[in-house]
Amino acid sequence: MDERKKIIDFIEERGDTYKEIAIDIHKHPEVSNYEFFACKRLSEQLIKEGFTVKTDVAGHRTGFTAIYQSNKPGPIFVFLAEYDALEGLGHGCGHNLFGATSLLAASALKQVLEKTGGEVRVYGTPGEEGGENGSAKGSFVREGFFNDVDAALCVHPGANEHKLTGKSLGCAPVDIEFWGRAAHAAGAPEKGINALDAIIQVYNSINALRQHLSRDVRIHGVITKGGDAPNIVPDYAKAKFYFRAATAPVLEEVYQKVERIVEGAALATGAKGRMQPYQNRVENTIPTPYFDEIYEKNLNLFGEVITPRKQNEPMGSTDVGNVSQIIPVIQPSIAITDIPVAGHSEEMKAAACSEKGLASILLGAKVLSFTALDLLENKEVLEKIKREHKEYLNEQLISINS
């Protein structure tokens, strides 16, 4: 039987099972480090599909690895799975579809591995949206889970257009805290050290810093704790900030500038200050265009077409960027609506459980597994992807150093 027909038949036969998984995860939204239901649901399905599964990996209690190794040597491909929800919203980014699609693609590819050779893995990576112990792909990279991997694949739910992998900004999420001394604000203000004043100075100094930053830099934050009562000098205050930039060196430069702002606010107010990451730093994404070209070719086989990205299209951040810094990776977006809707919205949440959204699981799995099969069957294609990825990495280094 032709390998592609075997893949299609498997996906069509198993499709309803993976739609049910996506629906179940949609009904049980969980944020970073608490995706217990999703981790269990996905990992148990992978065991049924014949993968060797391990949970609680890379320092993430809701992370997992699933591995199937054929009897013949060959490349190692990883399908990345996300399944966390948004705080207070649920699956407004479609990660219930994301995880199900990657699992179905990996399971379909497994059906032809004994002929092609090679190894297929699924990495369950919690907290892409950030939060407690978030951006798990950074941990997987740091702990060496990609050291022997040839390439990684995934597809992200989008609105009404199919798009290829785009660039993204690196992001450093931090907590900024100050400790002062409480006092009665009217009766003995001279005895107090105002931690809130220090936080406000940091906030205002960051606003002043913006005019001296390059266009790719974004900084945004909120004050999460500023005191309990107006007549008590706040002895503790806290803020959360994201620092974003197009390259790692610029991001580090911004980080150090804000560190000095925190030090200055501490000196000015007498409060003790601290800035520290509360999750993994996210790296910028480095696309590999030829890898995306193979994906697009396979998408076209199913009568679907790519919408080109607009020049200067707004960029967010994703920990897929961490993976892209070491191996080729694709993360195209797949349409789950018929009309434009905003990401991280109630409309996107509804789309993530709609008929079109659920159908995208099968389409995405077919295109991803076909793309991986192309790389298995043609070593020259894989080698060209690797060469191009290395060239783009080198170009980034040259751009940074020049």
Side-chain angles (χ1 to χ4, degrees):
M1 181 186 293
D2 175 75
E3 279 71 32
R4 282 161 183 77
K5 185 177 187 307
K6 197 170 185 179
I7 285 172
I8 292 292
D9 289 348
F10 178 88
I11 290 173
E12 292 293 340
E13 178 186 336
R14 289 284 209 281
D16 285 346
T17 297
Y18 287 86
K19 288 180 180 180
E20 290 171 6
I21 290 171
I23 292 169
D24 284 349
I25 294 174
H26 192 274
K27 290 178 179 177
H28 299 85
E30 301 161 306
V31 296
S32 180
N33 205 38
Y34 292 90
E35 308 102 325
F36 298 112
F37 178 87
C39 177
K40 185 173 187 291
R41 191 78 168 85
L42 296 172
S43 59
E44 286 180 349
Q45 182 63 32
L46 285 163
I47 292 170
K48 291 178 183 178
E49 298 288 7
F51 286 79
T52 301
V53 177
K54 184 177 181 181
T55 57
D56 191 8
V57 297
H60 295 267
R61 62 189 185 185
T62 51
F64 64 81
T65 59
I67 299 174
Y68 180 82
Q69 188 173 22
S70 71
N71 293 321
K72 295 168 62 176
I76 299 173
F77 298 129
V78 168
F79 291 86
L80 302 170
E82 297 173 7
Y83 35 90
D84 63 318
L86 292 156
E87 183 78 45
L89 178 61
H91 282 286
C93 206
H95 291 176
N96 60 308
L97 303 172
F98 193 132
T101 302
S102 288
L103 263 65
L104 183 54
S107 300
L109 186 67
K110 172 180 174 287
Q111 307 309 305
V112 302
L113 276 191
E114 295 309 326
K115 182 173 182 180
T116 64
E119 181 176 320
V120 60
R121 302 176 185 173
V122 180
Y123 286 170
T125 55
E128 189 278 333
E129 298 293 352
E132 182 180 307
N133 203 21
S135 302
K137 293 181 193 66
S139 301
F140 277 68
V141 169
R142 185 177 60 250
E143 298 298 323
F145 283 76
F146 291 96
N147 288 357
D148 59 347
V149 175
D150 290 277
L153 308 88
C154 59
V155 62
H156 199 293
N160 61 317
E161 298 174 328
H162 302 303
K163 294 187 177 182
L164 298 179
T165 309
K167 293 182 178 180
S168 70
L169 300 173
C171 181
V174 300
D175 284 331
I176 298 177
E177 299 171 279
F178 283 92
W179 291 266
R181 185 166 60 238
H184 194 288
E190 72 281 0
K191 295 181 179 179
I193 297 176
N194 197 315
L196 178 59
D197 282 348
I199 284 286
I200 291 173
Q201 285 204 25
V202 168
Y203 200 97
N204 289 336
S205 295
I206 288 174
N207 279 337
L209 176 65
R210 294 180 201 278
Q211 65 179 309
H212 303 293
L213 298 173
S214 55
R215 291 182 178 181
D216 64 291
V217 176
R218 298 288 185 273
I219 303 179
H220 28 264
V222 294
I223 297 174
T224 59
K225 178 70 174 178
D228 297 310
N231 63 334
I232 300 174
V233 174
D235 62 349
Y236 175 74
K238 181 178 180 180
K240 286 183 176 293
F241 277 88
Y242 279 5
F243 312 143
R244 301 187 199 252
T247 63
V250 173
L251 183 58
E252 179 60 27
E253 182 182 352
V254 171
Y255 192 97
Q256 292 178 12
K257 286 180 177 180
V258 179
E259 274 190 323
R260 291 193 288 273
I261 287 173
V262 173
E263 292 170 2
L267 286 171
T269 62
K272 178 183 177 182
R274 181 179 70 184
M275 183 175 87
Q276 65 178 9
Y278 62 84
Q279 64 172 70
N280 284 319
R281 182 177 294 194
V282 173
E283 303 293 352
N284 59 293
T285 298
I286 300 176
T288 306
Y290 184 57
F291 200 173
D292 275 289
E293 186 179 315
I294 303 302
Y295 174 90
E296 183 176 9
K297 179 204 73 171
N298 286 300
L299 180 71
N300 295 158
L301 293 177
F302 298 96
E304 303 288 336
V305 296
I306 290 293
T307 299
R309 291 186 177 274
K310 299 174 183 177
Q311 191 174 10
N312 299 321
E313 187 168 310
M315 293 187 290
S317 302
T318 169
D319 58 3
V320 166
N322 296 61
V323 182
S324 78
Q325 297 285 333
I326 57 168
I327 62 170
V329 60
I330 54 169
Q331 189 191 48
S333 62
I334 190 166
I336 66 170
T337 70
D338 293 320
I339 59 173
V341 300
H344 293 201
S345 66
E346 288 290 347
E347 291 79 11
M348 185 62 79
K349 176 183 173 181
C353 205
S354 68
E355 183 177 344
K356 187 177 180 71
L358 295 170
S360 76
I361 298 171
L362 279 67
L363 174 62
K366 291 171 184 176
V367 181
L368 286 176
S369 54
F370 273 29
T371 301
L373 182 59
D374 279 343
L375 274 57
L376 283 170
E377 292 181 332
N378 192 330
K379 292 182 179 178
E380 291 181 359
V381 170
L382 178 58
E383 289 307 312
K384 182 177 178 180
I385 287 170
K386 287 183 172 182
R387 286 197 305 271
E388 186 179 73
H389 175 257
K390 187 175 182 179
E391 289 169 3
Y392 275 82
L393 278 176
N394 289 337
E395 284 182 14
Q396 176 177 257
L397 292 173
I398 292 169
S399 174
I400 290 167
N401 293 327
S402 62

